[in-house]
Amino acid sequence: MTHVLVVYTDDEPGVLTRVASLFRRRGFNIHSLTVGPTERPSVSRMTVVVDTDANTARRAVEHLRKLVNVLEVQQLGQHAKVVRDLALIRVSANATQRSEVLQLVQVFRSNVVDIAEDSLVIECTGSLGKIEALVDTLRPFGILEMGRTGAVAMTRGLRTDPSLVSSSEPVRAESSQSMSV
Amino acid sequence: MEQTGAQIIWECLLKMGVDTVFGYPGGAILPTYDAMTGYPVRHVLVRHEQSAVHMADGYSRASGRTGVVVATSGPGATNLVTGLATAMLDSIPLVAITGQVGSGLLGTDAFQEVDITGITLPVTKHNYLVTRAEDIAPAIREAFAVATSGRPGPVLVDITKDAQQGKATFEWEKAMPTRHLRHIPPFPAAAELERAVAMINEAKRPVILAGHGIQLSGARAEVLTLAERADIPFAITLLGLGAVPATHPHSLGMMGMHGEAWVNQAIQEADLLIALGMRFDDRVTGRLKAYAPDAKKIHIDIDFSEFNKNVPVDVALGGDLLQVLRAILPKVQSARHTPWLERINSWRGDSAVRDIKNLPDDGHLYAAHVMHDLWKLTKGAAVVVTDVGQHQMWEAQYYHHDGERSLITSGGAGTMGFALPAAIGAKMACPDAEVWVVAGDGGFQMTFAELMTAVQEDVKVNIAIINNGFLGMVRQWQELFYESRYAATPILSPDFVKLAEAFGVHGQRVDKRADVASAVAAARAAKGTALIEFRVEQEDSVYPMVAAGAALHDMIRRPSPSPLAETGADPV
């Protein structure tokens, strides 16, 4: 099953390599990895979706915490969360098919961002499941090209880690790390 | 006052208490070597950079201090990789400083440019590429903090030539590291500690698994208190040997692939395993599905990522072993497990290892004899540094280590060529210790150029080469699992006595057991480094043995009847 990890790191060269190398080295299967800036100038935020069992996901978290450049790691499994992926999909559609595709796009609350003679480019933002559903729906028309960002995730209701906003002394977000297993 | 980056490197090392570094100069590190002459630091010139890391590693293992290595860019840096991996797998704190081409040349494939931070990423705890003089002090100070905190390990700092030549103000206080403190984990919850205590107090057949973490944490006294109060025998990992005393009444001996049969049997029949600072390596578990099937398991380790990696455990207590033990000891009740200990003792007569040593001298020289005699002759008080292979296992079986840091060996990586350089480093850390190298004829030939380093640095180590004319452990596997097809394992050696002479060290050859004692005495008496070549039985094997993939109790015994028949228990 998939596990969503949010990783706060120093915004430094090479940090992405360190994280990616860790996953490669330990054989943790990355479903998607996104990285970008945060509200703090020196901190980057990665969302890593791993496809693995719960114990391996927990070990991935503990390995990440050993990286000097990692400020904090949170596994979003237990929390209500928003997970969003963005896809650009170029779908084959001639003049007669175009309106049908446009209707489907509306159902998925997605946008058409480019129209050519024989194709459309559709922009879709949503959960992984929604995007998969749109892709399945469009497949019969012929998907010519697709690019996806990978998931970005955030908890609902509470800040992921309040300490990151106000203090330079990060703390662990989870209350207890002594595990009963 | 501004100083050059090169000077700042040495200022930092002095602040960290470093008085000895192991290295090899070259173009990109020249500014640093040039500045070195102004500082009270002993530089040990090695013959190959790999040996520099092993020396720093041996220095660290013998003393607990952080070893320091200096090398140049390109091949100088890549030669460190094996040593860094060795230290990484055995959790040894090291700081390696490498020169790098000027920052303007980075990425251009300039002469002797290699991406050493990229290469060493998986074999260091962390590494740095420093391109400005003002960044040197923070990087080096943090490197030491990272190397020694939590689970120790090696850290590499790659410093461009222009950063060494550039100027900056040396600001030590401003370089105070904090990032390594980001993930100080909370202490185990009281409820978890209670669960562990309850399991210990209820156990009928408990066994402690004593690992290297005991040494790293300094928890020897607490482990012994636990063993004595609750009457729990302890089995020891290879790297745990010496962390707890071999001749302690509760000591069972080494566990695992070449552990004593009774030790592995005890683990397999236990109802509780208490794993202290060890990581359930495949060499100690055998087939995981058949491992200690009836035992509940408590795992105490400072590295949370080790929990449930190989063996699922019932309680995982993350934290410094010393602190965790101190938290649980007050609640551990006195107990007696006499039937359990008697049962384990009854298996001791079934030893498949004791045999050779107890045989009368039949004219053959066995490595086991040599190890046993060396143990007796040095009264078990030497620091023994082994290489990797059969001799390493015989040493672990027959040299009983009571003292802390008295066995130095490459466990996780199994790095051949480790022993001689590591021993030189160990001797430099502990000049008053009697240091013995135990190496095979194969491994010794990998790094014996360091004999000259020992001579140049006026370091005395005593060297026992166990020469069986084969890459013995590989030959043993070929004999057992590849129908004795000895592909590429017969190995010729030079005349080691003449070799010793060429290096200007004392050399002897021994091929009879009767001569072992006098040769050892002569080596000890020799003024400088001394070498003894022991010509031992060529096709002897290490027994007992758990074949790869077999259950831990399913051990291959010494074939019997044989001239090496078993003769019963050895009261240590």
Side-chain angles (χ1 to χ4, degrees):
Chain A
M1 74 175 277
T2 58
H3 300 265
V4 182
L5 313 180
V6 173
V7 188
Y8 291 89
T9 70
D10 295 320
D11 181 15
E12 276 182 18
V15 175
L16 179 60
T17 309
R18 291 178 194 280
V19 172
S21 173
L22 162 60
F23 280 80
R24 174 195 57 78
R25 154 90 175 87
R26 297 289 171 181
F28 302 148
N29 189 17
I30 298 181
H31 188 275
S32 74
L33 189 158
T34 65
V35 58
T38 63
E39 69 282 4
R40 290 177 65 200
S42 60
V43 177
S44 299
R45 188 181 194 278
M46 296 181 192
T47 305
V48 189
V49 180
V50 288
D51 190 1
T52 183
D53 60 75
N55 180 49
T56 306
R58 181 196 59 75
R59 284 183 49 233
V61 170
E62 296 301 347
H63 274 294
L64 285 164
R65 286 191 170 127
K66 293 198 290 180
L67 295 181
V68 170
N69 292 111
V70 169
L71 282 74
E72 181 46 46
V73 189
Q74 210 187 17
Q75 192 174 342
L76 299 192
Q78 313 89 325
H79 307 281
K81 58 187 177 286
V82 186
V83 181
R84 289 293 178 271
D85 199 348
L86 184 146
L88 293 176
I89 305 165
R90 189 189 307 280
V91 59
S92 171
N94 56 29
T96 58
Q97 295 168 308
R98 196 176 285 158
S99 62
E100 192 183 348
V101 172
L102 285 171
Q103 274 188 338
L104 290 169
V105 166
Q106 278 195 330
V107 171
F108 281 89
R109 282 180 291 164
S110 302
N111 302 314
V112 172
V113 292
D114 184 59
I115 298 184
E117 201 178 321
D118 292 326
S119 68
L120 302 168
V121 175
I122 295 154
E123 173 196 312
C124 176
T125 307
S127 67
L128 305 178
K130 172 182 163 183
I131 292 176
E132 297 294 339
L134 175 61
V135 169
D136 287 344
T137 307
L138 293 176
R139 189 164 284 129
F141 296 92
I143 292 175
L144 304 173
E145 187 180 355
M146 179 168 74
R148 288 174 63 170
T149 58
V152 176
M154 199 170 274
T155 51
R156 292 184 188 272
L158 72 157
R159 289 195 95 93
T160 300
D161 187 348
S163 68
L164 289 167
V165 181
S166 54
S167 157
S168 61
E169 285 292 310
V171 294
R172 264 180 129 124
E174 290 159 56
S175 58
S176 168
Q177 278 307 309
S178 94
M179 280 154 292
S180 57
V181 277
Chain B
M1 185 194 73
E2 289 212 320
Q3 290 175 288
T4 65
Q7 289 172 312
I8 291 173
I9 292 172
W10 295 110
E11 295 284 351
C12 289
L13 294 179
L14 288 192
K15 286 278 190 192
M16 294 312 304
V18 173
D19 56 16
T20 306
V21 302
F22 304 90
Y24 206 100
I29 194 72
L30 254 178
T32 298
Y33 272 88
D34 188 50
M36 179 176 74
T37 52
Y39 293 88
V41 173
R42 177 178 188 182
H43 178 271
V44 178
L45 176 66
V46 297
R47 297 304 183 269
H48 188 287
E49 289 89 350
Q50 180 185 339
S51 296
V53 200
H54 293 331
M55 283 184 204
D57 183 318
Y59 182 92
S60 178
R61 291 189 205 228
S63 66
R65 300 167 69 187
T66 303
V68 178
V69 185
V70 183
T72 194
S73 65
T78 57
N79 281 345
L80 302 179
V81 171
T82 299
L84 292 171
T86 304
M88 185 72 177
L89 279 160
D90 287 351
S91 309
I92 304 302
L94 297 183
V95 172
I97 295 170
T98 49
Q100 180 55 280
V101 301
S103 56
L105 294 171
L106 285 172
T108 67
D109 301 327
F111 177 65
Q112 292 194 330
E113 187 204 357
V114 155
D115 172 21
I116 197 62
T117 46
I119 288 173
T120 58
L121 199 67
V123 294
T124 53
K125 276 187 82 175
H126 191 60
N127 59 26
Y128 302 81
L129 172 59
V130 181
T131 57
R132 302 184 310 171
E134 59 264 40
D135 296 336
I136 289 175
I140 292 182
R141 194 164 181 188
E142 188 176 87
F144 275 85
V146 171
T148 53
S149 59
R151 179 175 175 176
V155 179
L156 181 135
V157 187
D158 194 30
I159 307 176
T160 59
K161 194 167 186 179
D162 53 322
Q164 299 168 52
Q165 291 165 324
K167 293 211 160 181
T169 306
F170 175 54
E171 292 175 299
W172 184 246
E173 286 316 312
K174 270 179 72 180
M176 174 82 99
T178 56
R179 296 196 297 180
H180 68 293
L181 301 173
R182 280 171 169 167
H183 301 300
I184 299 215
F187 201 68
E192 291 304 295
L193 295 168
E194 294 284 352
R195 279 184 64 207
V197 168
M199 285 162 69
I200 293 170
N201 288 340
E202 287 160 17
K204 296 282 179 278
R205 301 187 308 280
V207 172
I208 290 170
L209 306 178
H212 190 202
I214 296 169
Q215 182 69 72
L216 294 169
S217 173
R220 178 185 176 104
E222 285 69 16
V223 173
L224 295 183
T225 300
L226 174 64
E228 289 162 12
R229 188 188 301 160
D231 204 23
I232 306 176
F234 50 82
I236 313 173
T237 69
L238 178 64
L239 289 190
L241 297 175
V244 284
T247 57
H248 187 281
H250 284 91
S251 168
L252 297 177
M254 184 172 71
M255 67 177 92
M257 183 173 271
H258 292 295
E260 306 280 17
W262 71 73
V263 185
N264 290 344
Q265 191 65 36
I267 292 169
Q268 291 298 81
E269 287 199 15
D271 69 351
L272 176 68
L273 295 180
I274 309 164
L276 306 179
M278 57 83 73
R279 58 185 175 87
F280 294 104
D281 182 84
D282 57 83
R283 284 317 194 244
V284 305
T285 60
R287 180 152 43 87
L288 286 169
K289 282 201 172 124
Y291 182 68
D294 301 331
K296 290 186 172 167
K297 291 153 190 112
I298 299 170
H299 193 181
I300 309 179
D301 202 283
I302 201 163
D303 184 348
F304 286 65
S305 69
E306 288 294 347
F307 296 139
N308 299 310
K309 183 178 77 176
N310 298 336
V311 173
V313 298
D314 299 273
V315 178
L317 302 175
D320 177 52
L321 180 60
L322 177 66
Q323 303 305 328
V324 175
L325 283 177
R326 281 185 176 165
I328 63 173
L329 273 175
K331 290 168 188 154
V332 171
Q333 294 162 2
S334 283
R336 284 291 160 259
H337 297 297
T338 310
W340 172 230
L341 294 183
E342 281 176 353
R343 181 164 166 74
I344 297 173
N345 265 324
S346 72
W347 299 325
R348 287 194 187 230
D350 175 39
S351 165
V353 178
R354 303 292 93 193
D355 46 9
I356 305 178
K357 193 194 68 204
N358 295 327
L359 276 178
D361 180 9
D362 60 357
H364 298 262
L365 184 62
Y366 295 104
H369 289 153
V370 178
M371 288 305 119
H372 174 76
D373 293 351
L374 188 63
W375 172 59
K376 288 279 189 197
L377 293 164
T378 56
K379 299 186 168 60
V383 173
V384 183
V385 186
T386 75
D387 223 78
V388 171
Q390 286 184 317
H391 68 276
Q392 179 188 33
M393 293 297 106
W394 279 316
E395 198 281 346
Q397 290 178 337
Y398 290 100
Y399 197 109
H400 306 292
H401 290 275
D402 282 339
E404 294 188 81
R405 304 187 181 281
S406 64
L407 170 60
I408 293 174
T409 193
S410 167
T415 303
M416 287 174 68
F418 174 81
L420 177 60
I424 293 171
K427 180 68 178 178
M428 289 189 168
C430 304
D432 297 331
E434 177 180 356
V435 176
W436 276 86
V437 172
V438 174
D441 42 328
F444 188 73
Q445 289 189 69
M446 283 192 172
T447 51
F448 72 65
E450 302 305 331
L451 277 174
M452 211 59 233
T453 307
V455 172
Q456 183 165 352
E457 295 294 329
D458 196 18
V459 169
K460 175 175 174 57
V461 294
N462 300 317
I463 301 162
I465 301 174
I466 307 300
N467 184 358
N468 57 8
F470 281 100
L471 302 177
M473 188 58 92
V474 183
R475 186 210 59 77
Q476 173 171 342
W477 282 53
Q478 289 171 331
E479 178 190 327
L480 294 172
F481 311 121
Y482 295 87
E483 296 170 334
S484 296
R485 290 186 296 274
Y486 293 164
T489 44
I491 182 170
L492 284 182
S493 289
D495 181 327
F496 284 119
V497 175
K498 282 188 180 161
L499 185 84
E501 192 186 322
F503 281 100
V505 306
H506 174 87
Q508 299 164 90
R509 178 173 301 120
V510 172
D511 50 18
K512 289 196 293 291
R513 189 173 189 183
D515 297 338
V516 172
S518 60
V520 167
R524 297 172 86 183
K527 217 162 165 270
T529 287
L531 178 158
I532 311 171
E533 175 197 6
F534 292 98
R535 290 209 171 163
V536 300
E537 190 70 7
Q538 291 212 319
E539 297 189 36
D540 192 9
S541 291
V542 182
Y543 293 104
M545 176 181 188
V546 182
L552 189 60
H553 58 274
D554 183 13
M555 301 191 80
I556 303 171
R557 308 303 180 92
R558 184 170 286 283
S560 185
S562 90
L564 311 178
E566 299 176 19
T567 59
D570 166 51
V572 168

